[in-house]
Amino acid sequence: MYLVSGSAGFIGFSICLELLKKKKKVIGIDNLNDYYDIKLKKKRNKILKSFKNYFFHKINIINQSNVNKIFKTYKIDKVIHLAAQAGVRYSIKFPEKYIDTNIKGFFNIIEASKRHNIKHFLYASTSSVYGSLTNFPYKENSSASHPAQIYAATKRSNELIAHSYSSLYKLPTTGLRFFTVYGPWGRPDMALNQFVSNIKKNKTIEVFNYGNHYRDFSYIDDIVKITLSISNKTPKNNYKWNRNKPNTKSSYCPYRIINLGGNNPIKLTQFIKLIEKKLNKKAKIKYLPLQKGDMIKTQASSKWCEEITSTFPKIKPSYGISKFIDWHNNYYK
Ligand SMILES: NC(=O)c1ccc[n+]([C@@H]2O[C@H](COP(=O)([O-])OP(=O)(O)OC[C@H]3O[C@@H](n4cnc5c(N)ncnc54)[C@H](O)[C@@H]3O)[C@@H](O)[C@H]2O)c1
């Protein structure tokens, strides 16, 4: 049985849906907060609730006793912890929300996972942990000690807390460093959704860093497939791990960090061209300087992911954007 936190969110919903289709029993938790349109979260949740093997609880993970109740009620095997305050730019305005959910909330879930002997604890990290490093592609062993905003700092903290639990309590943990996930049911605060909505309404889109951003976009179907594959591959102690040359992707204990990105960055202006092509409409663009805390480029080394799962995010942006716009046209009609 899986517990998925953030089940009404974009990635959580997509993962739950796949698990439910595979007839797995899924416990979903989410506080359905108003960071973005609650209607979208409720709509996702309604779809999940139509499965009889889905059990939803509206709880705030900041509240430890609520989290504990869930773990006591169900016999959970695996946890996929995705509930978080996401968003890089928002974290500059509201840092305390990130400390509350991403640090305290994360602690409540991992602590309960330890006490209930969870077989595999997976959690969302992010490409943002690499900060502004320029040694592309980012490897799991690249430094992640220079976060450029509090969002990245909280996610990196999660990885460090996870290591301490894997070390002390032998809790098998896997941190998934997601690289810009997009696709149907995607988040309205993310660039793709905003670009498509505004271009459709003939509104000007804002493009930061004068369009000189590169992102390693990962399509949601790849992310779902790979996350579930990883959930069946529990990390083990790495007996070859060398304390003289510590590699940060694994450890002497059952701990692992994996990039989920395709090593295929695309320039933002090229990404916009693909949107224009699918919409058959020209974008009105306002070019702006780089925003505080933004990364200029992300690029994942996908070798470790491929070693573990025999695959990595491969779906091309032209296909993914087309699928996203089909969904957008249908959902917002
Ligand atoms: N989408 C991406 O490109 C991306 C990239 C890197 C990392 N991530 C991480 O992946 C995870 C999922 O991201 P997403 O894009 O699906 O985001 P999302 O915002 O759509 O989903 C997060 C869900 O968590 C819930 N939540 C937030 N705070 C909560 C709390 N205190 N208690 C209970 N529920 C709470 C929200 O209501 C939301 O439904 C997050 O941890 C995010 O930081 C996402």
Side-chain angles (χ1 to χ4, degrees):
M1 189 194 302
Y2 280 82
L3 172 82
V4 178
S5 73
S7 56
F10 167 42
I11 302 175
F13 159 75
S14 311
I15 286 179
C16 285
L17 193 59
E18 188 60 22
L19 283 169
L20 294 168
K21 285 181 187 165
K22 287 185 189 318
K23 309 263 183 271
K24 302 280 183 204
K25 195 168 167 183
V26 180
I27 318 304
I29 55 174
D30 202 299
N31 69 346
L32 303 172
N33 68 40
D34 64 358
Y35 168 59
Y36 60 76
D37 184 14
I38 303 175
K39 271 193 249 153
L40 180 60
K41 293 185 181 179
K42 286 190 169 160
K43 190 77 208 278
R44 295 181 185 130
N45 204 30
K46 197 175 165 196
I47 295 172
L48 300 179
K49 280 167 141 180
S50 70
F51 288 81
K52 61 179 187 319
N53 43 334
Y54 185 66
F55 302 85
F56 177 71
H57 293 267
K58 185 177 176 216
I59 65 156
N60 191 327
I61 59 162
I62 298 169
N63 183 317
Q64 193 170 25
S65 74
N66 284 345
V67 170
N68 289 344
K69 267 185 219 150
I70 300 289
F71 279 80
K72 272 188 200 139
T73 307
Y74 300 98
K75 178 82 201 79
I76 298 160
D77 303 302
K78 294 176 190 174
V79 170
I80 304 183
H81 175 50
L82 303 169
Q85 180 54 59
V88 164
R89 291 170 191 163
Y90 192 71
S91 75
I92 298 167
K93 273 196 187 156
F94 301 104
E96 61 291 340
K97 288 185 193 271
Y98 292 73
I99 300 299
D100 290 346
T101 293
N102 301 7
I103 301 291
K104 179 71 170 84
F106 179 89
F107 165 76
N108 289 339
I109 303 272
I110 198 169
E111 174 64 15
S113 298
K114 171 204 93 185
R115 273 193 264 123
H116 292 268
N117 297 314
I118 295 306
K119 292 193 184 103
H120 191 179
F121 173 84
L122 297 98
Y123 60 97
S125 185
T126 171
S127 56
S128 299
V129 297
Y130 294 109
S132 54
L133 302 190
T134 52
N135 51 343
F136 300 110
Y138 294 147
K139 299 186 186 77
E140 291 82 351
N141 197 32
S142 303
S143 167
S145 299
H146 303 87
Q149 9 70 21
I150 194 87
Y151 168 64
T154 59
K155 291 288 181 176
R156 180 67 183 127
S157 307
N158 291 169
E159 297 178 352
L160 301 176
I161 293 169
H163 188 272
S164 70
Y165 273 72
S166 298
S167 178
L168 274 174
Y169 311 114
K170 309 291 165 242
L171 176 71
T173 67
T174 300
L176 306 165
R177 288 181 179 165
F178 293 131
F179 280 68
T180 320
V181 186
Y182 74 106
W185 298 97
R187 271 173 32 210
D189 62 312
M190 290 182 73
L192 173 60
N193 211 322
Q194 298 209 349
F195 289 164
V196 170
S197 298
N198 287 333
I199 296 171
K200 276 163 79 171
K201 291 180 201 149
N202 294 318
K203 283 191 183 169
T204 303
I205 60 169
E206 294 189 333
V207 177
F208 294 97
N209 197 29
Y210 306 102
N212 291 313
H213 269 134
Y214 290 79
R215 285 289 176 274
D216 207 344
F217 286 96
S218 318
Y219 188 63
I220 187 67
D221 291 4
D222 272 339
I223 293 303
V224 169
K225 185 176 80 180
I226 294 169
T227 300
L228 293 183
S229 162
I230 293 171
S231 78
N232 293 324
K233 295 176 170 70
T234 310
K236 306 268 183 298
N237 301 344
N238 179 357
Y239 293 107
K240 289 186 189 150
W241 194 77
N242 186 342
R243 284 170 204 256
N244 281 324
K245 279 192 206 154
N247 188 316
T248 47
K249 70 183 181 188
S250 71
S251 185
Y252 55 84
C253 54
Y255 166 90
R256 203 167 48 187
I257 295 287
I258 309 174
N259 282 342
L260 265 68
N263 200 353
N264 187 24
I266 169 171
K267 195 174 180 184
L268 205 59
T269 43
Q270 182 57 32
F271 193 73
I272 294 167
K273 284 202 176 96
L274 293 172
I275 299 173
E276 291 176 324
K277 192 172 168 212
K278 170 74 181 176
L279 289 175
N280 196 20
K281 206 166 176 187
K282 205 97 192 99
K284 291 180 198 158
I285 304 177
K286 183 177 178 188
Y287 289 104
L288 294 164
L290 183 68
Q291 284 212 315
K292 243 182 161 179
D294 265 10
M295 291 164 86
I296 292 176
K297 179 175 171 181
T298 62
Q299 181 176 1
S301 161
S302 48
K303 276 193 186 148
W304 180 226
C305 177
E306 194 174 12
E307 229 175 274
I308 294 165
T309 65
S310 308
T311 188
F312 59 91
K314 286 179 183 167
I315 294 172
K316 298 248 176 332
S318 52
Y319 173 87
I321 287 173
S322 171
K323 284 283 181 197
F324 173 79
I325 293 176
D326 289 342
W327 169 79
H328 195 277
N329 288 340
N330 190 39
Y331 185 81
Y332 293 101
K333 66 182 168 222

